[in-house]
Amino acid sequence: QVRLVESGGGLVQAGGSLRLSCAASGGTFSFDAMGWFRQAPGKEREFVASIRWSGGTTSYVDSVKGRFTISRDNAENTVYLQMNSLKPEDTATYYCAARNIFTMTYDRWGQGTQVTVSS
């Protein structure tokens, strides 16, 4: 059973930086990519970034390109999201998720970590 644990959220002023971490354990062979998603109050959850374990191919939503960087440490089964030049509209609960290698869907989720950017 895959378990994902996020950390690194917090309160930061606009223009500041945070780094989120997501540690994966148990059954990591069953997924091929990790993603970060976020959900702001009253809004739907949206995709932020993803990275494949093999090869490291990355993908980003347009609104974070040039500001956020997703990376991985295969040896530690950990994925990171470096967030720079943060904006108030980045405020949300951030979730990491694992993409199932068989169904190609994100079906394992962490508990979420809150990111609040003050103006």
Side-chain angles (χ1 to χ4, degrees):
Q1 186 79 2
V2 175
R3 182 167 180 255
L4 306 176
V5 179
E6 301 107 330
S7 60
L11 172 64
V12 65
Q13 289 188 331
S17 299
L18 283 173
R19 189 176 83 153
L20 306 183
S21 300
C22 175
S25 61
T28 55
F29 60 88
S30 64
F31 55 88
D32 75 321
M34 297 290 292
W36 285 98
F37 294 75
R38 64 187 180 187
Q39 186 168 20
K43 295 187 176 181
E44 293 188 353
R45 187 175 296 184
E46 69 166 344
F47 168 82
V48 176
S50 67
I51 187 166
R52 296 194 66 178
W53 283 115
S54 177
T57 303
T58 59
S59 180
Y60 299 90
V61 67
D62 286 347
S63 60
V64 307
K65 285 181 179 177
R67 301 189 298 123
F68 290 11
T69 302
I70 189 170
S71 62
R72 78 213 192 282
D73 183 332
N74 289 45
E76 297 293 329
N77 285 334
T78 301
V79 175
Y80 304 96
L81 185 68
Q82 178 66 43
M83 304 185 295
N84 299 327
S85 302
L86 283 161
K87 304 176 181 180
E89 50 264 43
D90 294 318
T91 295
T93 301
Y94 284 70
Y95 300 89
C96 74
R99 189 171 74 181
N100 187 299
I101 196 171
F102 302 107
T103 65
M104 298 303 283
T105 59
Y106 290 93
D107 63 2
R108 292 292 183 266
W109 295 83
Q111 81 285 356
T113 185
Q114 179 66 37
V115 171
T116 303
V117 184
S118 63
S119 57

